[in-house]
Amino acid sequence: MTNLEKYTKVFEELFSVSTQEAENLKYQDIEAWDSVGHMGLISALEDTFDIMMDTDDIIDFNSFEKGKEILAKADYGVEF
């Protein structure tokens, strides 16, 4: 499984959305992605990629696309 597939799967499973819905998702677009859902998402991504995200990155993580940008930073080394 590629990193993109793993990343997408976290969104699909956590928020019960399709791949297409996940790819267009933004913070608070759906009820499940509230502040509690956000922390669940961060936790699941940290577990999936064996990383620990910085607070600023957690705050800036506001969409599927932005999340890919953040995880691709050298700090985390997740390649998509």
Side-chain angles (χ1 to χ4, degrees), residues 26-61:
K26 292 184 173 78
Y27 180 62
Q28 295 187 334
D29 269 358
I30 59 172
E31 191 175 320
W33 196 356
D34 58 6
S35 59
V36 174
H38 188 68
M39 294 315 296
L41 173 63
I42 298 302
S43 177
L45 290 170
E46 288 178 334
D47 289 346
T48 298
F49 294 109
D50 194 28
I51 59 172
M52 193 64 115
M53 293 180 67
D54 295 330
T55 302
D56 288 342
D57 289 333
I58 293 170
I59 293 167
D60 290 343
F61 196 119

Side-chain angles (χ1 to χ4, degrees), residues 56-75:
D56 288 342
D57 289 333
I58 293 170
I59 293 167
D60 290 343
F61 196 119
N62 61 8
S63 70
F64 181 90
E65 285 301 318
K66 182 66 175 180
K68 286 188 343 190
E69 278 178 39
I70 290 170
L71 293 181
K73 291 180 2 180
D75 297 354

